[in-house]
Amino acid sequence: MSVVVYTESEEGTFKKIAQEAVSYAKGIADKMGVPVTAVAINGGDTSELGKYGADKVLNVSNDKLSKFNAEAYADAVAQAAKKEGAKVVVVSSSANSKYMAPLLAVNLDAGYVSNVTELPESTEPFKVKHSVFTNKAFSITEFKTDVKVIGLAKNAYGVKENEAAGTAEDFAPELSSEDFSVDVVSVDKATDKVTIADAEIVVSGGRGLKGPENWEMIEEMADILGAATACSKPVSDMGWRPHSEHVGQTGKPVAANLYIAIGISGAIQHLAGINASKTKVVINNDPEAPFFKNADYGIVGDAFEVVPKLNEKLKEFKAQNG
Amino acid sequence: MKILVCISHVPDTTSKINFTDNDTKFDTNGVQFVINPNDEFGLTRAMWFKEKQGASVHVINVGGAETEPTLRKALAIGADEAIRIDTEATDGFSVAKQLANVVKEGGYDLVLGGRESIDYNGGMVPGMIAQLTGANFVNTCIGLEIEGDTATAIREIDGGKETVKAKLPLVVGGQKGIVEESDLRIPNMRGIMQARKKPLTVKDAVDANAETQTAQFEKPAPKGDIKLVETVDELVDLLHNEAKVI
Ligand SMILES: Cc1cc2nc3c(=O)[nH]c(=O)nc-3n(C[C@H](O)[C@H](O)[C@H](O)COP(=O)(O)OP(=O)(O)OC[C@H]3O[C@@H](n4cnc5c(N)ncnc54)[C@H](O)[C@@H]3O)c2cc1C
């Protein structure tokens, strides 16, 4: 018996969410007194997973799995979980993991809870806390099933070092042609930009910026901070910015460490998507803007004056602090 | 083509979220319920298939009689028939089992659901239906074309998108992009009148135990007051030394 954790990688490098998922799996495993087995699919050098608490790594190397495929990946992880006699399987909450998780739960006849924010409050009965109502509340949910699939919310638990053996073992799941009946024809990914999903810091602009020509200063701030850029819904609706940058309830969720909102009013639908972010900064010329009630730090002022000054200051700061 | 659109009946976005019975039940008092936004995008895409390529469109909800106005609204938008499975929707897996049963019996070619519902945000029902019925599945779908028995779908991934091809039957977890918001339809008077005459069938639930159960709801701790600062120097200092985020 062990806790099995699926570790996401890209081009042979584990993602931060994989490190976080292993850290979290280790937390559960300690509560249950069992080891952690990580499943790595074409993960490259798996030795680093031991650092976060993986006692064993099941290494799947298979060219057919070079592109993510939800059904095939779900099958591979389910077979690994069965082989290990896992009662708990942990996955992350990237778009791909969220695609795979419900398939995995059916394969294992397991209950599935997504957006989990903490270690289980108890393991018998098994109860976990997860965010619901688009981060406006939490539910403490009890599993009724023998096997449980847990989707960890991004940035909720953090990466924790916890040295373990990380012994690697090859694992070859049996895959059928049916696993590949959804065929990935092409992938179109911006490789040079930090994505909202992976970003630690997100710099976001709203209608207060008046037009797409004013986004240069937002891009500049993102550049200085190594951040992703984002926007409110009207901004993407008007075509000032691509739809992929629209955050909020109907757009992307953001669980960053730092969210900087510039010229955004802070409507409830916008806040719903960014509530899971840890530190929120607002720059807005209207002291009555609702965002001021929901942020940690704020400057009441004109974005066109504040942002260039802030950029200069941040540049200086980065030059000094690396 | 036979299309089934799964409709989740959810509190309107602006609803205040409260709980009753010792924080074990969602307080529906004063809450306006709507078609789950992600499902509404799928419903609108279904209407497009119906009008452009010919399709029959059924909508379905698992829930008590209180969800019928939401189903009637979907009929008023243009769906041909509605089905309600008469049982409380307690967890995603059991809802998926109820729906999978109807999908199998009804021989649907395409099942459209949403990426997630905005109440429990589970993000599991469409994927589970697909796996339970042996259909193909595409999640976070932002574009869908169907020719003969083959679907070409565009899917949003972290940092981009990908194009996939799959044979029908197909289950889709849709979101904004599968149609644009400007394409969404507001039911007109004629639609509302017609909806009253369209069939709304109530079906008994099959045996499907819930796999999970809410023990308790909690609200996030109230937020501390904002720190307003005058200068950018002060802000950078706080972000570095207090919040430790830069
Ligand atoms: C069903 C539904 C779903 C929705 N989903 C989303 C969603 O996912 N995401 C989302 O963002 N919205 C969503 N909305 C829209 C939302 O209600 C708001 O309309 C939107 O968030 C407002 O965007 P904004 O703050 O950029 O624009 P505005 O409301 O126009 O606010 C602009 C802000 O900029 C400030 N400003 C103006 N000039 C300056 C300046 N020079 N310097 C500094 N500040 C300035 C103003 O004071 C104001 O506060 C949704 C709405 C509905 C009905």
Side-chain angles (χ1 to χ4, degrees):
Chain A
M1 208 169 99
S2 67
V3 172
V4 161
V5 49
Y6 164 60
T7 53
E8 229 176 286
S9 58
E10 202 163 79
E11 287 165 16
T13 308
F14 288 101
K15 294 191 173 184
K16 193 183 150 216
I17 51 168
Q19 300 169 351
E20 189 177 14
V22 176
S23 307
Y24 178 84
K26 171 70 178 164
I28 296 188
D30 282 351
K31 277 187 167 239
M32 298 173 72
V34 299
V36 174
T37 304
V39 182
I41 299 181
N42 296 333
D45 177 10
T46 58
S47 61
E48 75 161 283
L49 296 176
K51 199 158 89 193
Y52 309 103
D55 297 286
K56 181 158 97 181
V57 182
L58 291 181
N59 245 325
V60 180
S61 312
N62 187 332
D63 284 346
K64 279 182 161 170
L65 300 175
S66 61
K67 275 190 261 181
F68 175 81
N69 179 304
E71 199 157 359
Y73 274 48
D75 232 4
V77 177
Q79 286 174 36
K82 283 181 188 156
K83 170 178 138 54
E84 295 293 299
K87 297 285 184 234
V88 179
V89 181
V90 176
V91 302
S92 307
S93 44
S94 65
N96 283 349
S97 284
K98 283 193 158 177
Y99 186 7
M100 174 188 78
L103 309 180
L104 177 63
V106 171
N107 289 356
L108 293 171
D109 212 1
Y112 166 46
V113 174
S114 55
N115 306 318
V116 172
T117 53
E118 286 176 14
L119 284 178
E121 152 185 313
S122 72
T123 55
E124 273 175 58
F126 202 99
K127 286 187 191 172
V128 287
K129 183 166 165 175
H130 58 115
S131 71
V132 291
F133 296 101
T134 328
N135 294 311
K136 285 190 265 186
F138 295 99
S139 163
I140 300 180
T141 295
E142 182 179 332
F143 281 90
K144 304 276 179 200
T145 47
D146 184 34
V147 181
K148 297 122 191 124
V149 175
I150 294 183
L152 179 64
K154 190 178 161 258
N155 251 337
Y157 186 73
V159 174
K160 297 192 169 60
E161 292 197 8
N162 216 326
E163 202 68 41
T167 316
E169 194 178 286
D170 287 336
F171 177 62
E174 278 176 35
L175 301 171
S176 70
S177 59
E178 276 174 21
D179 281 320
F180 298 93
S181 54
V182 175
D183 184 30
V184 181
V185 185
S186 65
V187 180
D188 174 7
K189 211 166 164 172
T191 45
D192 57 333
K193 272 191 81 178
V194 186
T195 67
I196 294 174
D198 294 328
E200 304 268 323
I201 302 180
V202 174
V203 182
S204 191
R207 193 147 57 179
L209 288 171
K210 313 258 184 315
E213 66 282 5
N214 297 323
W215 242 264
E216 224 167 87
M217 59 185 188
I218 302 285
E219 304 258 9
E220 189 186 1
M221 190 184 294
D223 247 9
I224 302 167
L225 293 170
T229 52
C231 67
S232 66
K233 180 170 170 297
V235 165
S236 74
D237 285 351
M238 289 182 292
W240 296 358
R241 300 296 293 177
H243 276 309
S244 57
E245 289 196 4
H246 153 204
V247 305
Q249 169 141 1
T250 48
K252 286 217 171 54
V254 176
N257 281 332
L258 173 59
Y259 184 78
I260 305 178
I262 302 167
I264 301 178
S265 59
I268 193 164
Q269 299 90 351
H270 186 85
L271 296 176
I274 62 133
N275 270 341
S277 294
K278 297 221 166 78
T279 300
K280 286 163 246 167
V281 173
V282 53
I283 299 169
N284 195 307
N285 62 4
D286 174 10
E288 301 298 320
F291 224 128
F292 283 108
K293 293 206 172 59
N294 289 282
D296 302 280
Y297 305 105
I299 295 184
V300 179
D302 187 341
F304 297 96
E305 285 170 23
V306 177
V307 173
K309 275 195 223 155
L310 182 56
N311 283 350
E312 283 316 306
K313 182 69 201 169
L314 286 169
K315 258 190 245 163
E316 255 173 57
F317 171 83
K318 282 283 161 188
Q320 280 162 18
N321 294 271
Chain B
M1 184 161 58
K2 265 188 98 176
I3 304 177
L4 183 68
V5 186
C6 307
I7 301 284
S8 188
H9 162 87
V10 298
D12 170 41
T13 344
T14 52
S15 305
K16 291 260 178 296
I17 303 300
N18 289 306
F19 304 103
T20 58
D21 293 15
N22 252 336
D23 287 337
T24 57
K25 290 211 162 60
F26 175 62
D27 183 1
T28 56
N29 222 329
V31 170
Q32 168 102 20
F33 282 85
V34 296
I35 300 176
N36 182 46
N38 289 315
D39 305 350
E40 196 177 349
F41 291 121
L43 174 63
T44 310
R45 190 67 195 167
M47 299 320 303
W48 187 93
F49 285 122
K50 178 177 156 165
E51 286 155 17
K52 297 284 191 318
Q53 299 185 192
S56 65
V57 178
H58 296 179
V59 290
I60 188 164
N61 169 267
V62 178
E66 72 282 359
T67 73
E68 288 189 5
T70 299
L71 283 174
R72 287 274 175 218
K73 185 172 173 208
L75 292 172
I77 287 172
D80 303 304
E81 278 185 49
I83 304 164
R84 177 170 69 81
I85 303 177
D86 190 23
T87 182
E88 200 190 339
T90 46
D91 86 324
F93 206 154
S94 60
V95 167
K97 286 181 191 167
Q98 299 296 346
L99 294 170
N101 185 50
V102 174
V103 170
K104 276 189 216 152
E105 279 181 353
Y108 292 96
D109 306 295
L110 178 65
V111 179
L112 292 163
R115 167 189 85 184
E116 65 178 24
S117 64
I118 63 166
D119 51 1
Y120 293 98
N121 311 105
M124 66 183 90
V125 170
M128 286 176 165
I129 296 172
Q131 201 69 347
L132 289 166
T133 59
N136 290 321
F137 176 49
V138 176
N139 205 16
T140 53
C141 184
I142 53 170
L144 181 65
E145 302 289 342
I146 291 171
E147 249 183 73
D149 68 347
T150 305
T152 305
I154 303 172
R155 185 171 95 75
E156 187 172 78
I157 55 176
D158 293 338
K161 52 193 178 179
E162 68 183 24
T163 305
V164 301
K165 268 193 194 306
K167 292 251 183 277
L168 303 180
L170 175 72
V171 181
V172 166
Q175 62 183 56
K176 181 180 153 191
I178 196 167
V179 298
E180 287 311 324
E181 206 157 275
S182 49
D183 300 329
L184 296 180
R185 299 168 187 205
I186 298 161
N188 57 22
M189 200 33 100
R190 191 161 155 263
I192 294 166
M193 298 304 286
Q194 282 175 340
R196 289 195 190 148
K197 294 192 212 107
K198 288 180 180 172
L200 193 164
T201 315
V202 179
K203 276 190 184 236
D204 287 337
V206 291
D207 245 355
N209 292 335
E211 269 74 4
T212 61
Q213 180 189 328
T214 296
Q216 185 97 42
F217 289 106
E218 267 178 22
K219 296 240 248 174
K223 191 141 189 55
D225 280 346
I226 187 169
K227 270 195 189 159
L228 287 180
V229 298
E230 299 282 335
T231 67
V232 296
D233 293 39
E234 234 177 304
L235 179 62
V236 170
D237 180 59
L238 285 167
L239 292 179
H240 182 57
N241 292 314
E242 189 177 83
K244 298 191 173 16
V245 286
I246 60 170

